[in-house]
Amino acid sequence: TKDYELRQYETAKWVSTVIRGETQKEAMRQGFWKLFHYIQGKNDKEIKIDMTVPVTCLIKSGCADFKISFFVPFEHQDSPPQPTDTDVFIEERKAASIFVRSFGGFASPEKYAEEAEVLARILRNRGQPFHEDFFYTAGYDSPFKLFNRHNEVWYFKK
């Protein structure tokens, strides 16, 4: 629809870290750098890995923990290098149907929350069952990209 799309994602590995007790903005900053060090060679194979998009952040209702993740590039999906930072881990996300709402501009935590609420309202109005207790933010652009930015919020279909 013009308001959202339904995507099917296959099972895939992501490299993640959980930041506790910070604001979402600060958690994203800290989490990004932990994951960036991993792809720059802070892993058991000491290899550099290409940066991928999106960078996701798991937002759970009433929870101050934020899980920040990078997608593991396809060439490393079978056997990703293991992180040497104990705060960083490889996770496998199972295949899922995901409702996605896209928007432009520079996304703040407030803007992500606002877009997630719009998507949730649309899905409820259309009788689409989804997991309402969490959503993901997804950012696709470098902070240096000024125009035609792409951001998303994701709700998992029940």
Side-chain angles (χ1 to χ4, degrees), residues 67-82:
K67 182 169 67 176
I68 295 88
S69 307
F70 288 0
F71 179 77
V72 173
F74 292 110
E75 63 267 26
H76 297 290
Q77 278 287 316
D78 289 340
S79 182
Q82 291 304 302

Side-chain angles (χ1 to χ4, degrees), residues 84-128:
T84 53
D85 180 339
T86 56
D87 291 340
V88 177
F89 57 95
I90 302 294
E91 66 168 326
E92 184 172 87
R93 293 189 193 166
K94 299 297 178 206
S97 295
I98 300 176
F99 294 108
V100 178
R101 181 171 171 82
S102 300
F103 61 98
F106 280 89
S108 63
E110 295 77 21
K111 180 65 173 164
Y112 276 124
E114 181 184 305
E115 293 292 337
E117 187 45 51
V118 169
L119 178 55
R121 191 168 50 244
I122 292 166
L123 295 174
R124 282 187 212 106
N125 289 344
R126 299 214 172 133
Q128 292 280 10

Side-chain angles (χ1 to χ4, degrees), residues 19-30:
I19 305 294
R20 294 178 173 85
E22 297 288 351
T23 63
Q24 184 180 340
K25 188 171 183 167
E26 179 59 18
M28 283 294 295
R29 189 190 70 74
Q30 287 182 22

Side-chain angles (χ1 to χ4, degrees), residues 119-146:
L119 178 55
R121 191 168 50 244
I122 292 166
L123 295 174
R124 282 187 212 106
N125 289 344
R126 299 214 172 133
Q128 292 280 10
F130 66 101
H131 293 276
E132 297 192 38
D133 53 334
F134 70 92
F135 68 91
Y136 280 90
T137 67
Y140 286 82
D141 301 305
S142 142
F144 305 108
K145 183 174 181 181
L146 301 180

